[in-house]
Amino acid sequence: MMNRNLSLLFLMWAMLQSCQNLSQGNSDYSNTMTLDTTQYNALHDTYKESALFHRRFKHSDIDSLIRVHQERGTLSIQEIGKSVESRSIYKLQFGTGEKKVMLWSQMHGDEPTATMALFDLFNFIEGRDDGYDSVRHLLKERLTLHFIPMLNPDGAERYARRNAQHIDLNRDARDGQTVEGALLRKMAKEIQPGYGFNLHDQNIYYNVPDTKNPVTISLLAPAYNYARETNEVRKGAMQLIVGMNHILQQYVPDAVAKYDDTYTPRGFGDNFQSWGASTVLIESGGKKGDPEKQEIRKLNFIIILNALLEIAQGSYKQYDFQDYEKIPFNASQLHDVVVRNVDLGNDSVPLKTDIAIRRGEITIGRDYFVRGRIEDIGDLDESYGYEEIDADGLMFMQGETYPKTFDSVEQLDMDQVWDLLKQGYMAVRINSKGQDRLHQLPIVLFTQQQFTPASQIGLSGTCNFFLGDGQNRKYAIVNGYLIDLSQRPKENFYKNRVN
Ligand SMILES: [Zn+2]
């Protein structure tokens, strides 16, 4: 009996608390409902959409997931239009609240990180009895959420930025000439959101200025005019960003930046801001050891959910919008590999200098391979690398082609390749290219008659050579990958293709 009374009392107290949470005024945010990193981590673990696990998913993957969510019935789902190549574009809606929020992702087909996070969010919204029903209730009562994941499905199919007509949708906000751009415009006019989330990926070579930290997330409250003035609408976006940055700093300290804030009259973020929606641009960047951006996807989930909670409660207004200005702008000083102080001279002309390398991705279906390229040679003190070595005392050493031919990739394994590299071999001839020509061995595989490893380091040449003291090789650079020859190369890391 006593126990029962106590639990009743507790229940009443809890209800009172949540009523307080829901009814608080503008100035006191002490009762704001917030989640901490432990809670966010647990939520993402539980609700992460396992059908999406790398960046090159396609519209068919999204289509199947949409069927699942339709059956669950929590979100109201509508096909709002079709792409140029007739792929369905969907809107998922949740909540009955006064504050209208629009979130759209992947208007650039090769920028998929936030799409994954949105599907994680859908799973969370549909969850129940996990201790977070009060969060869902709050969102549902206060907000009407309109999600448009994968606005550019034709681009996603090719893993390309532009739509099937080669138009950059983010330069079509003013004209609305593309079907996809016109659709987003139309939705904005119909919904008249008070808040907008424009979800993108930026390249992985942006860094926090003068540090070797890749920018993992960059944020922007886009300008609505050339003077980059601040009105109440843009100020709201800045305050939301200050809140998002608080939580990001707990996950990726000093890896957050601002995106270029130049006014772009053709861009959607800029237009949404001028149409009266406090609009936040989220750009997923790079993080060492996260090539498929699964950790960055989690950060998207967290900061979007955090922002929605703040919008629901108005609590973002507690932040000083001028703190937004303290977030540094993206710098572009980062490379995959920087080699410092390498000896590139010859017998008659000395040269000691630095090399910077980047690896471009080339998509093959749902997979890809890279092409390593020397981006720069010279004094690169202001450049940084995901990997850096001091090559003082080391010089360029040409690789050799192994004299024996193998039948296929399968005849080689990592131990053999490591041995070959240590002996100075950079290339191996094989008879069969294999089906998709892709392989994960850090050595040049080729099927032509001949392959000539680079005889010197140049800006346009291939990126395959050794660094050593003239006698012994210490590092191999294979297709832009740096391999320390004293350590067995990593499995499942290299993305190469048979030449
Ligand atoms: Zn983009």
Side-chain angles (χ1 to χ4, degrees):
M1 199 62 187
M2 187 61 195
N3 255 341
R4 191 156 161 242
N5 278 343
L6 261 178
S7 37
L8 263 176
L9 211 68
F10 179 76
L11 197 72
M12 282 171 66
W13 174 80
M15 282 168 69
L16 210 72
Q17 280 298 105
S18 69
C19 285
Q20 256 182 357
N21 283 347
L22 293 176
S23 64
Q24 87 202 358
N26 273 346
S27 47
D28 176 18
Y29 298 105
S30 55
N31 284 328
T32 303
M33 189 189 286
T34 58
L35 302 176
D36 61 27
T37 56
T38 314
Q39 291 170 308
Y40 278 125
N41 294 344
L43 281 180
H44 195 253
D45 275 354
T46 307
Y47 294 108
K48 181 176 176 174
E49 176 50 65
S50 60
L52 304 174
F53 53 92
H54 61 71
R55 290 171 292 150
R56 285 173 173 80
F57 55 85
K58 308 284 182 206
H59 182 257
S60 58
D61 302 300
I62 298 307
D63 246 356
S64 337
L65 285 171
I66 291 290
R67 308 280 158 265
V68 173
H69 291 288
Q70 258 161 352
E71 268 179 35
R72 289 184 189 159
T74 305
L75 294 143
S76 99
I77 303 179
Q78 213 191 330
E79 184 197 271
I80 51 172
K82 284 187 187 297
S83 67
V84 173
E85 293 177 340
S86 212
R87 294 186 174 91
S88 300
I89 298 169
Y90 300 102
K91 184 167 75 67
L92 297 87
Q93 191 176 327
F94 176 73
T96 51
E98 226 169 85
K99 295 176 177 171
K100 297 180 184 67
V101 187
M102 257 181 92
L103 309 93
W104 60 96
S105 73
Q106 217 169 342
M107 72 163 65
H108 293 140
D110 57 352
E111 300 180 9
T113 307
T115 301
M116 297 188 267
L118 290 185
F119 279 89
D120 303 340
L121 261 174
F122 302 155
N123 289 340
F124 164 71
I125 287 170
E126 292 159 347
R128 59 181 291 185
D129 295 334
D130 56 357
Y132 294 93
D133 285 343
S134 54
V135 173
R136 295 180 186 101
H137 185 74
L138 180 72
L139 299 180
K140 189 177 175 180
E141 293 292 302
R142 300 280 183 88
L143 307 178
T144 306
L145 300 169
H146 300 266
F147 299 97
I148 305 173
M150 196 185 269
L151 183 68
N152 179 7
D154 301 345
E157 205 65 17
R158 301 161 171 82
Y159 204 68
R161 177 180 177 86
R162 296 178 176 229
N163 81 344
Q165 301 158 309
H166 315 286
I167 308 286
D168 183 339
L169 299 185
N170 209 21
R171 303 291 177 267
D172 194 33
R174 188 175 54 196
D175 276 3
Q177 285 299 307
T178 61
V179 289
E180 299 91 350
L183 191 61
L184 187 56
R185 270 183 68 95
K186 180 174 159 246
M187 285 298 125
K189 297 296 170 210
E190 274 178 29
I191 295 165
Q192 304 214 339
Y195 302 87
F197 289 84
N198 186 15
L199 306 172
H200 291 251
D201 282 67
Q202 67 180 17
N203 87 46
I204 62 166
Y205 302 117
Y206 285 119
N207 62 307
V208 175
D210 302 318
T211 78
K212 59 192 292 184
N213 301 351
V215 173
T216 300
I217 296 274
S218 86
L219 300 159
L220 177 73
Y224 58 89
N225 62 12
Y226 282 108
R228 285 173 276 200
E229 286 170 326
T230 306
N231 59 7
E232 279 306 305
V233 173
R234 186 167 182 232
K235 187 173 148 190
M238 290 171 166
Q239 289 170 310
L240 279 169
I241 288 171
V242 171
M244 291 157 103
N245 186 37
H246 276 314
I247 192 133
L248 280 173
Q249 290 302 328
Q250 298 175 58
Y251 284 94
V252 282
D254 304 319
V256 179
K258 283 203 303 274
Y259 199 78
D260 181 6
D261 67 351
T262 309
Y263 174 59
T264 42
R266 302 177 297 164
F268 269 102
D270 314 61
N271 276 284
F272 267 80
Q273 201 87 268
S274 70
W275 298 333
S278 292
T279 303
V280 172
L281 169 76
I282 302 179
E283 295 270 357
S284 294
K287 188 170 189 295
K288 192 170 177 173
D290 189 21
E292 293 305 321
K293 300 204 183 184
Q294 297 304 301
E295 292 172 52
I296 307 180
R297 158 219 196 139
K298 173 180 165 177
L299 295 176
N300 271 265
F301 169 85
I302 293 169
I303 57 176
I304 293 171
L305 182 52
N306 173 73
L308 294 179
L309 272 171
E310 298 237 63
I311 292 170
Q313 302 171 94
S315 56
Y316 65 91
K317 290 179 184 152
Q318 70 187 296
Y319 304 119
D320 181 354
F321 75 98
Q322 297 190 52
D323 284 351
Y324 167 82
E325 303 295 350
K326 293 180 192 157
I327 304 172
F329 280 108
N330 278 324
S332 190
Q333 300 167 294
L334 197 56
H335 297 78
D336 284 304
V337 178
V338 170
V339 176
R340 300 194 192 282
N341 307 312
V342 64
D343 184 353
L344 295 185
N346 58 31
D347 291 344
S348 46
V349 186
L351 175 65
K352 198 168 191 176
T353 193
D354 310 328
I355 306 169
I357 298 167
R358 284 181 183 174
R359 299 185 295 259
E361 293 184 356
I362 293 109
T363 298
I364 304 287
R366 284 178 158 76
D367 210 342
Y368 69 99
F369 66 95
V370 305
R371 268 197 206 125
R373 220 178 81 90
I374 294 183
E375 288 279 317
D376 208 354
I377 309 173
D379 173 355
L380 301 178
D381 274 3
E382 282 74 30
S383 294
Y384 304 94
Y386 278 89
E387 292 178 287
E388 292 187 9
I389 51 166
D390 183 359
D392 192 20
L394 302 182
M395 61 183 77
F396 170 86
M397 290 174 74
Q398 189 172 7
E400 285 173 48
T401 298
Y402 191 60
K404 191 187 148 198
T405 300
F406 288 80
D407 257 349
S408 66
V409 180
E410 286 71 36
Q411 287 191 328
L412 283 153
D413 64 21
M414 192 63 91
D415 288 320
Q416 270 171 298
V417 166
W418 188 27
D419 263 352
L420 292 175
L421 289 172
K422 283 189 284 191
Q423 293 170 51
Y425 296 111
M426 176 90 359
V428 177
R429 188 170 170 220
I430 55 173
N431 285 321
S432 158
K433 284 181 170 165
Q435 198 151 43
D436 59 8
R437 296 171 64 184
L438 301 179
H439 70 90
Q440 301 209 316
L441 295 170
I443 198 159
V444 177
L445 297 180
F446 67 100
T447 55
Q448 309 97 310
Q449 274 311 103
Q450 254 193 319
F451 177 84
T452 318
S455 59
Q456 59 173 357
I457 288 178
L459 283 177
S460 56
T462 56
C463 218
N464 304 297
F465 55 88
F466 289 101
L467 296 171
D469 60 11
Q471 299 292 320
N472 302 303
R473 296 161 198 87
K474 277 200 74 170
Y475 297 97
I477 307 271
V478 181
N479 193 24
Y481 288 109
L482 173 73
I483 296 144
D484 180 341
L485 294 175
S486 68
Q487 290 167 25
R488 189 179 189 276
K490 284 180 260 184
E491 298 281 354
N492 304 321
F493 177 72
Y494 305 97
K495 307 289 285 180
N496 289 321
R497 186 173 76 155
V498 177
N499 286 15

